[in-house]
Amino acid sequence: MQHQYRFGRIGIYKSFMFGNPSVLITVPELYKLVFMDDDLSLLFVCIPHDEHKPLRKLMAGLINGQEALSTYLEYIEDAVVSTLEKMPNMGEFEFLTQIRKLTFNIITYIFVSEGGDPARKGLGMMFQSVLTKKRGIHEKYGTPGKKDMVDNLMIVGDENGETLDDEQIIDILVMYLSAGHESSAHVTMWITVLLQEHPDMFQKAKAEQVEIVKNRSPMQKELTLKEIRQMDYLSKVVDETLCYINFSLIIFSEATEDVILNGQVQVRMRNVHLDPLVYPDPKKIDPSRWDEHTPKAGAYIPFGLGSRLCPGNDLANLEIFVFLHHFLLNYRLERLNPKCPILYLPHIQGQLIIAWQE
């Protein structure tokens, strides 16, 4: 935010970064323009404009939506419960490492119907092996009734009806595998820690989860998507944390043709989320700021916006809510190194050492 301190809150600044002339934007109105104006010719997140929209549409259809999320919910909950049950017996441990293992296992299961540990050894080779095996199964037995991400990518067509080749599928899987577990892990960690550090928030969020379980029929044991949508207060806690920690610091877009914003455009999410004119007292953790509040376009962008919205945002939220539901009901933690250094690049993170309590 040094440009705002130096030149005032004009919202757009000329700079020179990473060897390129750059335009920095820091206000909601310009975020809305860059994220939502499909007429801007931009190379966005390393994907050409003409490829970004169909790829996002393809992936969003496979990992978001009622049917897809319902399919993944059972495995996510089983993985969360299993992980939480092990943590009280681990003594002191580094929290983010354990949450990363959980989210990595979840995303690899969704992609290839297998646990995540083997995937750590050569992702490209592992995915190629899976593809070869699945092509043989498809040719011999047809498409399976219960399909994972690889099955879907093998049969889905692009806007021209052309199916993806192995190289394209592997590129997609590797890209979304990295993004799909890292962001969920960081956000889950910070929400858990902030809930623990704010007892009033913890009690309100826990009371909501207790009420959800209380209203279940005697035969129901598992979470449902309907129950997750009833987590009104926890949703505000999640929104507040996403604004506060700003997992994605910055997004780069490069103009491929002359446009009003020429050169390289830097979209700085942290600036708008911590702007006191957009969110009063932005560094205070206050979920009540979301009571009856709908931010204007460009003011809340942890997952992007419009046609540049992260295609896995619903899946990420599902993982976060399932973890928090079971954590709030059954566990507490103690942060043993509250004064540990916090890094802000490339993400806000710290080596938080935790002692778990049931």
Side-chain angles (χ1 to χ4, degrees), residues 35-277:
F35 277 119
M36 301 186 71
D37 191 339
D38 286 337
D39 291 330
L40 287 180
S41 182
L42 297 174
L43 183 70
F44 194 80
V45 197
C46 304
I47 301 175
H49 177 75
D50 59 347
E51 296 180 17
H52 182 274
K53 189 173 181 180
L55 177 58
R56 184 198 170 278
K57 182 179 179 181
L58 169 66
M59 294 303 297
L62 296 179
I63 57 180
N64 278 347
Q66 178 86 14
E67 182 178 353
L69 296 178
S70 296
T71 301
Y72 306 141
L73 178 55
E74 181 180 356
Y75 177 80
I76 291 173
E77 186 168 23
D78 287 345
V80 165
V81 170
S82 176
T83 297
L84 286 171
E85 287 176 346
K86 295 174 184 175
M87 285 185 173
N89 300 319
M90 294 174 63
E92 299 178 9
F93 60 92
E94 204 279 309
F95 194 20
L96 181 58
T97 297
Q98 300 304 318
I99 302 300
R100 275 175 169 156
K101 290 179 180 178
L102 169 64
T103 57
F104 189 87
N105 285 336
I106 289 173
I107 201 69
T108 50
Y109 178 84
I110 288 171
F111 281 0
V112 297
S113 300
E114 297 178 7
D117 289 339
R120 300 176 192 275
K121 299 177 181 179
L123 288 175
M125 293 177 61
M126 189 277 292
F127 284 137
Q128 183 61 67
S129 174
V130 170
L131 275 167
T132 302
K133 178 181 176 181
K134 284 183 175 291
R135 288 202 185 280
I137 294 173
H138 284 211
E139 290 173 3
K140 187 172 183 179
Y141 302 105
T143 305
K146 185 177 181 181
K147 297 184 286 292
D148 58 31
M149 182 69 67
V150 174
D151 291 315
N152 282 311
L153 287 172
M154 288 170 62
I155 62 176
V156 74
D158 61 19
E159 291 187 333
N160 299 317
E162 298 290 333
T163 55
L164 303 172
D165 60 34
D166 285 5
E167 184 177 354
Q168 289 173 309
I169 292 174
I170 291 171
D171 286 345
I172 292 171
L173 292 173
V174 171
M175 177 175 65
Y176 281 95
L177 179 68
S178 175
H181 89 279
E182 192 72 11
S183 57
S184 298
H186 280 266
V187 174
T188 299
M189 178 193 73
W190 281 114
I191 297 176
T192 308
V193 170
L194 290 173
L195 280 167
Q196 193 74 35
E197 293 179 348
H198 295 79
D200 56 331
M201 282 171 43
F202 187 99
Q203 292 305 322
K204 287 181 181 179
K206 179 171 183 174
E208 184 176 66
Q209 304 309 307
V210 170
E211 188 67 18
I212 285 172
V213 174
K214 181 180 176 181
N215 291 332
R216 287 177 179 170
S217 68
M219 301 299 292
Q220 182 188 337
K221 303 298 182 183
E222 295 81 19
L223 265 173
T224 65
L225 293 181
K226 180 180 180 181
E227 288 175 333
I228 291 174
R229 295 189 185 100
Q230 293 170 352
M231 299 177 186
D232 182 62
Y233 182 75
L234 188 58
S235 178
K236 295 172 186 176
V237 172
V238 172
D239 286 344
E240 181 71 354
T241 305
L242 286 169
C243 255
Y244 177 73
I245 68 165
N246 292 282
F247 173 77
S248 296
L249 166 67
I250 193 169
I251 289 178
F252 293 93
S253 299
E254 183 177 348
T256 57
E257 298 177 5
D258 286 341
V259 292
I260 296 176
L261 301 177
N262 60 8
Q264 185 184 76
V265 179
Q266 296 186 23
V267 181
R268 296 201 168 189
M269 283 90 144
R270 187 173 294 172
N271 287 58
V272 71
H273 290 159
L274 297 179
D275 187 340
L277 295 182

